[in-house]
Amino acid sequence: MTSPEEAAVTVEAGPPVVAAAEPTVAVRHVTRTFGEVTALSDVSLDVAPGSFVSLIGPSGCGKSTLLRVIADLLEPSSGEVVVAGKTPHRARTDRDYGMVFQKATLFDWRTVRRNVELPLELMGWDRTRRRARADEMLALVELTDFAKHRPAQLSGGMQQRVAIARALAFSPKLLLMDEPFGALDEITRERLNLELLDIWTKTRTTVVFVTHSIPEAVFLSTDVVVMSPRPGRVLRRIPVDLPRPRDTGTRELDRYFELVTEVRETLRGAGLL
Amino acid sequence: MTAALLTEVRRLRPPSALPAALTALAVLVAWEVVVRVFAIRPILLPAPSAIAATFVADVPRLVRALVVTGRAALLGFVLGSLGGFAVGAAATRWRVLREGLIPVGVVFGAVPIVATAPIFNLWLGALSIWSNVAVVALVVFFPMMINTITGLASASDSHRELMRSYAAPQRQVFAKLLLPASLPFVFGALRVSAALSVIAAVVSDFFGGFRDSAGFFIKTLMANADYTGSWATVVALCLFGLLLYGAVALAERWSVPWKEQ
Ligand SMILES: Nc1ncnc2c1ncn2[C@@H]1O[C@H](COP(=O)(O)OP(=O)(O)OP(=O)(O)O)[C@@H](O)[C@H]1O
Ligand SMILES: [Mg+2]
């Protein structure tokens, strides 16, 4: 393992010689303030290619802010972010990441299929290719029968699945998800968790996933990153060594309970529970 | 079975059309009865049957009046709406323009058209259709401008952020997000303008010199004590206004299908 500092040097010195182990996302000493409020304080985080990293922490601890800094939707006040070996701005204009927000943010005026086509349209794909790709993605999230529906005719969970299909449509290297299932009931959430893992296994995309739910974080992730409240900092990073493929049986394993407890204890130790 | 039949009937008739038609019919019947029972003189209120008879007898004249007045209304409606949209869109692009234009729009929106009609006659000639068109266009312009600005600003922050995450250029953000999001507002302005443009065209007729315009007819018929004749002209104008409104509603249903009902 290279330390963050060494990796940073490699990237800066770098003509684009990309080491195999280079993280897909490298956050180095990032601080972000909003006026008086310090949302992020000296946050460092590496996300290895192909991993599934969950950010968990109490409301207002800066999870969304961190995600938005990675996505170049916000500038860090200080520190450095490298995404896919580039600046976040470059990664955004190169369309290296897909984003799923807490709300599905679908366009009411487009059908489900044309919502999934949106990024492909922006990238200048021709109609037939776009359509084929959108149908493929809709099959992946099991919404083939709803291709011609409008978002308003779909349930919240279905809308979120459309948003995931849309984010994956152009095969981004990185998927950034901000509490995508936060507004859903427990049953739908567990079903979509399974679906998401399935998609992740098939696409081998790197995922950064924000959640409030400890069971969800443990079930999905390769690593759970526990954050402290304002100013947001990384408290601890817990590798999740549960076997794969994970399924409903995973939630009954002793190790699963141990890990859930470990995350909970970390939050409690910081006085957060 | 009956339930199925009922839904079938509902499907055939839009749910709002039947009650509205019944209400209109009831009002007409009541009107006719009141006029006959109380023997109200036509100068105050002619019976609907009398108006209908005059209307049928006068069809050629009414059609000519509608061509003259309707042409000005339609031209003013189209030009004023296009202008309002173009300026509204430009104001969205350039912030300075927006901050200057909104108060101006509010002030101009409050100007009574009656006051502008003689002025436009003076400027553009009383016998030119363009003075009538200008009055209509002015009336229609500001609601459309304001609604365009509001509509183009109505896209949510999360949608804008989504487009930003795709690194979509300004032109595409406009075409794929701002414009579709503004359509319900644009059609809101068009619906209001459909009625306004007919009113404005008739008002400008009162000042203008077109001898066969609807407004001129109402004026001369009243002076000649032909009260049912003026009422028939009013009915014809109503029908034209409804036609224009209907066309807008149809266009709205076609281009804003996601906002059903
Ligand atoms: N655009 C902004 N302007 C001002 N303050 C902001 C802004 N965005 C976030 N903040 C502040 O930064 C802090 C962190 O916000 P953030 O949205 O990142 O929290 P979060 O961990 O995502 O919370 P939640 O779990 O509730 O979504 C909060 O105190 C918030 O008030
Ligand atoms: Mg958040």
Side-chain angles (χ1 to χ4, degrees), chain A residues 68 72 92 95 106 121, chain B residues 159 161 164 166 176 258:
Chain A
R68 288 150 55 85
D72 186 43
R92 178 166 66 86
R95 278 107 179 205
L106 303 176
E121 240 172 86
Chain B
H159 281 148
E161 200 157 63
R164 198 173 132 76
Y166 294 138
K176 299 199 189 288
W258 67 94

Side-chain angles (χ1 to χ4, degrees), chain A residues 68 72-73 92 95 97 101 105-109 119 121-122 150 166, chain B residues 158-159 161-168 172 176-177 180-181 257-258:
Chain A
R68 288 150 55 85
D72 186 43
L73 299 173
R92 178 166 66 86
R95 278 107 179 205
Y97 71 82
F101 299 88
T105 61
L106 303 176
F107 287 179
D108 297 337
W109 49 89
E121 240 172 86
L122 296 171
R150 298 209 178 264
R166 179 181 62 186
Chain B
S158 48
H159 281 148
E161 200 157 63
L162 178 77
M163 291 303 266
R164 198 173 132 76
S165 80
Y166 294 138
Q172 286 188 323
K176 299 199 189 288
L177 172 59
W258 67 94

